[in-house]
Amino acid sequence: MNTKERSQIELPKIFDPRGNLTVAESLKQVPFEVKRVYWTYDVPSGESRGGHAHKHCRELIIAISGSFTVTLDNGSEKEAFHLNHPWQGLLVETGVWRTLDDFSSGAVCLVLASDPFEEEDYIREYDDYIRYQQCSK
């Protein structure tokens, strides 16, 4: 997988004896304008989330609490990332299949997205994704 398809982003971690603070601002630490924010939580043991790709939307995925594994697949290579720090995010570019697994108890996955929800942007079947990848080359 090349770094164009994904990159890990360190977000500022501001130390404070009352509790730490992390900031993520559009077009600063987040390399796009944030149009949608959503989070996944209470994922039952053994369940997966994701299992899709986007044609246009870019996302920054952050483990706000607990941990989980994000597996990225560009149709020819797969790479897994264990997210477990609330000051680190995984930038997922367009056209990359993603699956989230191995959620710890109490894990919260925060996603900052470049686009509002549009069903037409999703590729939800892996065979369709492979065809999409072959046509876009």
Side-chain angles (χ1 to χ4, degrees):
M1 244 194 177
N2 65 48
T3 56
K4 182 178 181 254
E5 295 165 329
R6 58 87 187 130
S7 60
Q8 291 182 285
I9 294 176
E10 291 284 324
L11 300 168
K13 183 177 181 183
I14 302 164
F15 294 95
D16 188 308
R18 300 169 298 162
N20 297 328
L21 174 75
T22 293
V23 176
E25 295 181 88
S26 292
L27 304 175
K28 288 188 179 181
Q29 298 86 8
V30 181
F32 52 80
E33 185 177 341
V34 176
K35 300 275 181 80
R36 177 171 49 124
V37 176
Y38 63 92
W39 50 97
T40 303
Y41 54 96
D42 293 342
V43 177
S45 178
E47 289 295 324
S48 294
R49 297 293 309 201
H52 64 267
H54 290 283
K55 298 173 188 171
H56 303 288
C57 187
R58 300 167 72 194
E59 294 183 332
L60 183 64
I61 301 173
I62 305 167
I64 293 299
S65 180
S67 66
F68 50 88
T69 300
V70 180
T71 302
L72 302 181
D73 178 345
N74 65 8
S76 59
E77 297 175 276
K78 291 182 182 180
E79 190 170 359
F81 299 87
H82 185 72
L83 300 183
N84 62 350
H85 298 298
W87 65 88
Q88 293 176 333
L90 180 64
L91 179 63
V92 182
E93 294 293 343
T94 61
V96 177
W97 188 267
R98 83 281 323 270
T99 307
L100 288 71
D101 297 291
D102 304 322
F103 285 84
S104 69
S105 177
V108 179
C109 170
L110 176 71
V111 180
L112 307 177
S114 65
D115 296 333
F117 177 82
E118 292 181 18
E119 184 60 39
E120 304 77 40
D121 184 50
Y122 284 75
I123 305 169
R124 296 193 183 272
E125 297 296 328
Y126 191 76
D127 289 342
D128 294 340
Y129 171 70
I130 294 301
R131 282 191 290 278
Y132 177 83
Q133 285 295 84
Q134 291 168 345
C135 290
S136 63
K137 288 183 180 180

